[in-house]
Amino acid sequence: MRILGIETSCDETGLAVYDTERGLLSHRLYSQTKLHDAYGGVVPELASRDHVLRLLPLTDEVLQEAALTRRDLDGIAYTEGPGLIGALLTGATLAKTLAWTLDIPALGVHHLEGHLLAPLLETPAPAFPFAALIVSGGHSLLMDVRGVGQYELLGDTLDDAAGEAFDKTAKLLGLPYPGGPALARLAESGTPGAFKFSRPMTDRPTLDFSFSGLKTQVLLAIKAQGEDRSRDADIARGFEDAVVDTLVWKCRRALEQTARSRLVVAGGVGANLRLRERLRALPNIEVYFPRPMFCTDNGAMIALAGALRLTAGQREDAVIRATPRRELASLSPPV
Ligand code: KG4
Ligand code: ZN
């Protein structure tokens, strides 16, 4: 089955073609970062309008790269939610319209299921069951995963998600949006231990996360420096180490609690090199990451998640759906 994947939940237009026999045939990503840069965050209306401009040219490009025409497609997968309603609607509308004209099925995919299953694009792919850490701009989740659509929530964000904490802290340090990669780069030249921030909620058994207090600690540290910005890199390093330590601690606990020996890490913060290094060092645990470009939003993960459900026979009606808020643990297995 050849599936076109469409991702438009936020500020990235992602397209991909996934073949259930040959694997990923092509993928393209257009990032709107520059468009939103001046505003310090994503402007939903601008995001939707830009998706409209990019979707069809990118669809043509991925088909061309895969040496296919629209008629060769067997199904279309699109991000149904969670995400920005206007942005979601652009992808959902294209998917349903194209599917209607081609007389093939279109299926809405949960954005976080896309992230969660993205490591299956890699070789070796993780086998079910596994524990999963999903750390993106909007979510920090620990899940126990027994199969496609068999997800048990172990821990959740109580306030700022890990990526959001990176973005907000980066803003405090005067770094451009999105702040995660910029902050990680600045932290490279910082001295570990020069600033010691707390490891939130590691003093109790819960697997929930809370990162908003950390941001306040960074703000106080910045203010204490006055006009002197020479210690920004040390502050960035102190913050990154605090987030990474906390995530690693919670993963260890989740693995113990579920008795799983495999850990899957996905979502934008999964691209963080220090996090990857620290998780790889966990004893007796196999850790699986998508390649860094598939940690952040992309069409390949949506094509893959859609392919797994479409090949199992899951279908939906022709109604155009976009669901801004959706719990991952509410999903069911295909069909
Ligand atoms: O998964 P994603 O692309 O979008 C959402 O679904 O939210 O994640 C984006 C988030 C942003 O908050 C970004 O700052 C963060 O992932 N991020 C990183 C890194 N690369 C992206 N955070 C820390 N280190 C990175 N290298
Ligand atoms: Zn995402």
Side-chain angles (χ1 to χ4, degrees):
M1 230 181 169
R2 292 169 187 141
I3 311 295
L4 177 72
I6 305 176
E7 155 62 33
T8 62
S9 65
C10 189
D11 59 345
E12 254 121 19
T13 320
L15 271 295
V17 181
Y18 183 82
D19 184 321
T20 48
E21 273 154 36
R22 292 159 62 208
L24 187 64
L25 300 184
S26 58
H27 62 94
R28 280 277 190 285
L29 188 77
Y30 179 83
S31 173
Q32 305 175 353
T33 305
K34 282 205 186 79
L35 182 67
H36 303 291
D37 198 15
Y39 306 97
V42 179
V43 183
E45 181 62 21
L46 294 183
S48 319
R49 287 168 188 241
D50 205 62
H51 284 307
V52 171
L53 295 179
R54 312 287 165 193
L55 273 167
L56 281 173
L58 288 178
T59 302
D60 289 341
E61 279 181 37
V62 287
L63 285 171
Q64 201 174 11
E65 194 185 317
L68 300 175
T69 69
R70 290 179 186 180
R71 294 257 154 231
D72 297 315
L73 292 172
D74 301 299
I76 302 183
Y78 65 96
T79 303
E80 183 190 323
L84 302 171
I85 183 70
L88 291 168
L89 276 170
T90 65
T93 306
L94 173 66
K96 290 285 170 152
T97 319
L98 210 51
W100 181 264
T101 59
L102 296 169
D103 197 21
I104 57 174
L107 192 68
V109 168
H110 193 295
H111 179 76
L112 292 179
E113 180 171 67
H115 277 303
L116 176 69
L117 300 177
L120 299 178
L121 290 162
E122 311 299 345
T123 315
F128 297 110
F130 50 74
L133 171 72
I134 308 177
V135 267
S136 69
H139 299 86
S140 308
L141 299 175
L142 273 163
M143 313 283 304
D144 186 41
V145 178
R146 277 169 289 124
V148 176
Q150 294 175 272
Y151 310 135
E152 187 193 335
L153 182 67
L154 304 171
D156 200 351
T157 326
L158 296 184
D159 40 57
D160 292 354
E164 192 178 0
F166 265 95
D167 293 339
K168 288 182 175 170
T169 304
K171 204 167 179 178
L172 294 176
L173 287 164
L175 298 170
Y177 178 86
L183 190 145
R185 262 194 310 278
L186 179 63
E188 283 299 310
S189 53
T191 308
F195 283 86
K196 186 98 178 136
F197 300 117
S198 64
R199 274 59 177 153
M201 316 244 306
T202 48
D203 57 346
R204 54 199 107 156
T206 173
L207 292 174
D208 289 335
F209 302 93
S210 166
F211 288 117
S212 72
L214 204 48
K215 181 187 61 199
T216 312
Q217 289 178 31
V218 172
L219 180 64
L220 293 175
I222 294 172
K223 281 197 170 148
Q225 308 307 309
E227 294 298 300
D228 178 15
R229 308 307 299 264
S230 64
R231 305 200 66 194
D232 277 10
D234 291 346
I235 294 175
R237 179 63 197 255
F239 168 81
E240 188 184 44
D241 282 344
V243 175
V244 168
D245 263 3
T246 307
L247 293 175
V248 172
W249 192 93
K250 298 271 174 185
C251 284
R252 266 206 349 249
R253 222 189 161 97
L255 287 159
E256 276 166 23
Q257 197 174 304
T258 53
R260 301 293 184 215
S261 58
R262 284 180 290 269
L263 175 69
V264 157
V265 183
V269 183
N272 184 276
L273 293 179
R274 213 169 303 283
L275 177 66
R276 292 168 88 94
E277 187 185 293
R278 289 282 310 282
L279 289 174
R280 280 207 179 99
L282 286 178
N284 306 319
I285 299 296
E286 291 168 27
V287 188
Y288 297 85
F289 304 93
R291 68 197 86 164
M293 71 177 314
F294 290 160
C295 282
T296 43
D297 292 348
N298 65 86
M301 66 184 195
I302 301 302
L304 173 90
L308 291 172
R309 288 183 171 275
L310 284 163
T311 48
Q314 188 172 336
R315 297 290 182 269
E316 66 185 25
D317 55 28
V319 173
I320 294 172
R321 282 191 189 79
T323 319
R325 288 181 172 274
R326 272 184 102 188
E327 298 295 330
L328 181 58
S330 70
L331 295 189
S332 315
V335 190

